[in-house]
Amino acid sequence: MSTPSYAAVLRVPHAARAFAAALTGRLSYGIAPLALLLAVKDATGSYSAAGGVMALFGAASVLLTPARAGLIDRYGPRRALPPMAGLYAVLLTVLALATWRPGASALVLGALATAAGACTPPLGPVMRTLWSDLVPDRELLRRAYSLDGVAEELLYVTGPLVVGVMVTATGPAAAVLAGAVLIAVGAGALVTSPAVPRGKPVHRTGADGPAATGLRLSAVPALRRAVLVTAAVGLCLGALDLLAVALTEAMHRASAVSWVLAALSASSAVGGLAYGALRWRAPLGVRLPVMAAGLGGAVAAAGLAGNVYVLIAVVGVAGLFVAPALTTAYLIADESADAARRTRAGAWVNTAFNAGSSGGTAAVGLLVDRLPLALCCAVAAAPALLCAAAVLGGGVRRSRAGTEVVDAV
């Protein structure tokens, strides 16, 4: 049996329109953070103020994602997304106006940024839920998730480039305003797409399975382990971003860091496309920890790179595991909940990855001046390797006890 093509994904009725709308809105996520950081720095004249404002914005956005996704599950995208997107766009617009000229209060900007982060619409989880509804075939769904993940990766590469052009031409506050426009247009187009069901979702009560438990992580072992491994992957990747800077500086090739990070993004896109194109026999519960282990091993090896060319190659290998690991985690989340809880399940994976990434960057930032870089790389790789070993080991024990290995994650 042949594997369905990526073109087959986009030929699914209403899929292309919904996907284009979601990507338009999600481009805001690639633009707004950097633009806001630069705008706050220019308005206050303080890097510490800019860092503090962005920390509040990021924390509110990441930590409240499952709660916002729960509102989507409860009321449906057509009812819940417009208020979120509208408030988010309005608050970004107010931030753009407040930072247009120097002299803004850091406290006021911090309060506005926190409110904006709290309203960030979960367009990624919503789109993945729509993929699950539009594409019932599991092979085609895997390809849809791979395409979605690669496209999102490219948005986060494109966003900073757009900010750079706008900052040069008009200033960072205008880039913040552009982020507001993109989210309003994208979310509006998405909720009016025929792919989005009308009316309030019908939730079944008394059903068996994870949905009946309210999707508590403690009640859904498969999702809990996927979230744990995804957090470790995020931590590893967040640490790698900072380690790439430190390693290139140690090699006296600081300018090469852009090539290192470009290799990471490019190989992640290649890995995601290859993952969707190939047919896999191993169950999801085996694939995720194996990919986490592959990423961890490559990050550990980066500390032993003798020159920048070897570092680029090793980081490129690391990138091959990133998009496939996230795609696998989202597939596990999709299988862990019924339609009434699917958006929230995907949001837990998203939150785990983002929180892990932020934590990894912060933790390595405390270590790079105190430990040899090779040891820092080993420490950064340890969570992914240990989580992978624990999950695979638990799967083997359950298999010997009569449970299939597919239940390992």
Side-chain angles (χ1 to χ4, degrees), residues 239 242-247 361-373 376-377:
L242 185 56
L243 286 170
V245 176
L247 287 165
T361 303
V364 168
L366 298 175
L367 298 178
V368 289
D369 292 327
R370 296 173 174 83
L371 297 175
L373 289 178
C376 288
C377 288

Side-chain angles (χ1 to χ4, degrees), residues 18-29:
F19 189 39
L23 290 181
T24 300
R26 288 153 82 180
L27 179 57
S28 174
Y29 304 151

Side-chain angles (χ1 to χ4, degrees), residues 10 15-31 123-124 127-128 131 144 147-156 158 182-183 185-187 189-190:
L10 297 177
R17 175 178 168 180
F19 189 39
L23 290 181
T24 300
R26 288 153 82 180
L27 179 57
S28 174
Y29 304 151
I31 290 176
L123 294 184
M127 187 62 227
R128 282 183 284 270
W131 281 127
L147 179 63
D148 190 280
V150 170
E152 189 171 58
E153 182 80 25
L154 295 176
L155 290 181
Y156 283 103
T158 305
L182 284 168
I183 201 73
V185 171
L190 181 62

Side-chain angles (χ1 to χ4, degrees), residues 104 113 116 168 183 216 224 284 301 335 369 381 397:
T168 302
I183 201 73
R216 296 188 305 271
R224 183 180 68 245
L284 296 173
E335 291 186 349
D369 292 327
R397 287 192 297 272

Side-chain angles (χ1 to χ4, degrees), residues 62-90:
V62 171
L63 297 179
L64 293 178
T65 296
R68 293 191 299 270
L71 293 175
I72 301 291
D73 280 330
R74 182 174 182 179
Y75 297 106
R78 286 184 182 267
R79 297 179 64 184
L81 261 185
M84 291 184 203
L87 284 171
Y88 182 75
V90 167

Side-chain angles (χ1 to χ4, degrees), residues 55-68 117-118 347-348 350-352 354-355:
L56 292 170
F57 176 79
S61 179
V62 171
L63 297 179
L64 293 178
T65 296
R68 293 191 299 270
W348 274 114
N350 186 269
T351 297
N354 289 329

Side-chain angles (χ1 to χ4, degrees), residues 157-174:
V157 174
T158 305
L161 298 177
V162 174
V163 172
V165 172
M166 294 196 69
V167 166
T168 302
T170 58

